[in-house]
Amino acid sequence: MLRPLLVPCLAVPALAADLASNVPDGHTLHLWHLDELEAPFADLGVPPQNLEGLLNGASAGQPSLPGLGSAISFNANAGGAPSTSDLRGAILLALPKTVSGPQDNVPGGFRYFGAGGAFTYEVVLKFDILPKDAGVAACGLMSMDGDGQDRVFNFRIEKEGFLSFIPLPDGGAGGLALATIPTNGPHAIDTTHWFHAAVSYDGNEGVANNLKLYWTKLGPGLTEANRIGSGILSSDFSGASGDFAIGNEARTFAANAEAEPFPGLIDEVRISGVARHPSDFFFVPPARRASPEQVAARRSNGAGSPDFRLRLENVLVNASSAVLPSAPSGVLRLGSGLHRLDFDFGFEPDNPGGSIKLRCQLEGIDDRWQETERGMSLVCQALDRENRVISQSRFPFIGTSNGWETALEDSSMTRRVEPVYVPAETAALRLSLSSGSPDTTGFVTVDHLAITVPGKSETSMWKDGSIALSETTARAAGAPEGWRRDGSDPAIARVVFRGGGGFLALVDGDQQHHGEWSSVQSIAPGHGGVFVLSWEEAYNVSSGSLHRATYVNVPPGNYTFRAVGLAGESDPLGDGISLPIVIEPPFWQRPWFGPMLAAGSVALVAAGIVVRLRRRAKRRLEILRFQNALELDRTRIARDLHDDLGTRVTVLNVTAALAKRDLDSDPGKAHRHLDKMTDAARELVVAMDDLVWAVDPAHDTLDHLASHLTRLAEEMFRDSQVRCRLDIPAVLPARPLGAEFRHHLSLAVKESLHNVLQHAGPCEVFLSLEFDGEKITVTIRDTGRGFDPKAHGNGHGLSNAPARIREIGGSYAIDSSPGRGTCIVIICRLPQTPT
């Protein structure tokens, strides 16, 4: 006897006020509310299929959303190892016990699709543990997966975070729907909210996007289910039945148990015989739902008629999306160089255009129209010495491979052999394993890649055709030697491990990005001809609505990408695509480069001539400056010899004559003349030393100047009544000084000291020198008689010394008054050091 159960619910976000459990309608095949405390669980479909087996720790009567009664927890097991096939996980079956063998747990007439083959499968769920942390092989939602030749479908959540619907080998249909469950945004996966997961098939066999996946976080204000991806079912299901289960798979045989338990709660499981509209689910208010009849009426009125206009979805330039021109006649302009161009184009995703062929051409590269292919692919390209593609062969993966079961881990590899043409001028070969256009989804794995000469399969031209396990390949982001990841999402390219070995793989559930493995290897020159490309493969690939055309190493030039849809062999369908593309040539190939190069050359020659003339003029000016300086030095030396030494020699001559005259007549007076001659001779020697010091280059430094001034002051006041005090730094830098600068400064100081000696009387004189890095300050201060500078006019050497200082660009200041002494300050900026 079926016993409904009403239990209190956990606190959850409030939904719409009219939220209620699903109510059977004319398209409901099965509906399980799962509100009972224990099995059996009632089916409200016609004919009903009650569920009798609640096994391996599955627990009924768990709190569900308000208005939905109770749910069942599948987060339990009855033994086995986590993440392996022998895990006996919680499960809900049609029969009281699992059955191993050809017997199914549902009768042959069990309905799981409608009259036209269409269906919608949906569940309400809540995670206790996220799939990546659950320690299970996969998280089963609903399956019909038997032990023998009765494997029909699997609707589940993969550990990697994908929602997947997988047609199995015995259901009569191939294909796949795989989409990434959101991890951010309003429908992001978590362990606190309830979610609605659904898959629908519209009954249009073999048409792209006839499978749709929905993932919706349940909350207020929803008007339709959140579509996360699409896929393809190659044909309607045949009607074969298998072991039906909720919350797991019912595939039980030796070494295999119920290994895909759902790590949380499941409620409200429904199977419908139509592809329900995204608004036709229980969480949408009834007034806003579009029933199957309403959708059919819209289509019959033409509202849902297909739009066969082609659209250019995206252009990738070197794996990055280009900004397409906004105007219909706009041109896509690219920088110079060789570019890889990927064009993604097709009809609107919901158009039933499965029999329509698309052809494309890159005018300027292709000589003829190419028929496009969808799906993933292995591409072999021959490259010349300039890395340009001179030959290309593409081998698609679409649908399922022979030996495909449920996933990469349990599918067998099959060998594939294809011919490839390698031109004689080939310098390298490139293999690319590509996931194709962004909306292509599925799984591909390849191994044992080889390129051989026909009849000589034992010797391969291709190295690293098998993946060697190492520290590099064992990491999640590792790459086998010689291979590199590429694409808008390189994480799609993976290394998978099975049976102790590694395989190149693509695992793509993201309908916005693509991934790629690629490798380039050099070959010996002259090895042209037809070769054999072989590999082992396993795949299950669902192509989307987009087609991809790829052109590698497109050189600079003007091109036009064209695409057109054909309803028959030659009748165009709708408007085609036309996109002009200009790849700029290198700057040296542009029209302005030649004239600019000529003008630049002329300008460089002219500039060179001007620079040469300026250097010559500069050298001449330097020579003139040197000659002028030399002349000035010679003039100064001549003037000093005449004014100072000449005068002193004249005094000696005159005094000698006087002494000679008075020698006999007045010997005392003659002796006085001789004493005067002695003093004059001594002064002459000092003057000669000063002159030699002034012209000797060895003394052209600041420290030598300071030493000279010190010696000068000591000698001048040695036998006088004036006491000299010196304040001159003991250490000064050897800063270079010119002879003219030293000469004028030393003479100005000497004249100033001489004035003190002659006019100040018995006193003290203070001589100090300061240097701040840029200028010299010399201070001469005495405590003598002093004088009035205005009254004395130009006497006391008051004009010669200032004139000398002004000549070298300095300043000479004097401050004196009778009875208060005199202070003289000389400031001279040092000349710039020559560079």
Side-chain angles (χ1 to χ4, degrees), residues 36-59:
E36 293 79 10
L37 283 173
E38 59 185 22
F41 295 88
D43 178 10
L44 301 185
V46 179
Q49 178 62 61
N50 297 332
L51 304 179
E52 304 282 347
L54 190 65
L55 308 175
N56 299 341
S59 176

Side-chain angles (χ1 to χ4, degrees), residues 356-386:
I356 298 174
K357 295 180 180 180
L358 294 184
R359 291 184 179 177
C360 66
Q361 178 189 42
L362 185 59
E363 191 176 278
I365 295 292
D366 289 331
D367 295 330
R368 54 191 178 86
W369 290 82
Q370 307 290 333
E371 186 168 332
T372 63
E373 296 182 1
R374 292 181 292 179
M376 302 184 184
S377 63
L378 178 66
V379 180
C380 179
Q381 295 172 327
L383 311 178
D384 64 11
R385 294 186 180 277
E386 297 180 0

Side-chain angles (χ1 to χ4, degrees), residues 402-403 408 411-415 445-447 498 503 536-538:
N402 294 329
L408 293 175
S411 300
S412 60
M413 305 284 283
T414 57
R415 190 166 186 266
T445 181
V446 299
D447 194 21
R498 187 180 66 179
F503 306 88
E536 292 184 356
E537 64 185 17

Side-chain angles (χ1 to χ4, degrees), residues 196-226:
H196 176 265
V199 57
S200 69
Y201 167 60
D202 59 15
N204 293 303
E205 300 176 286
V207 175
N209 302 315
N210 57 16
L211 277 173
K212 295 177 177 62
L213 292 173
Y214 300 94
W215 179 267
T216 309
K217 180 183 290 186
L218 297 178
L222 294 171
T223 58
E224 62 179 35
N226 176 52

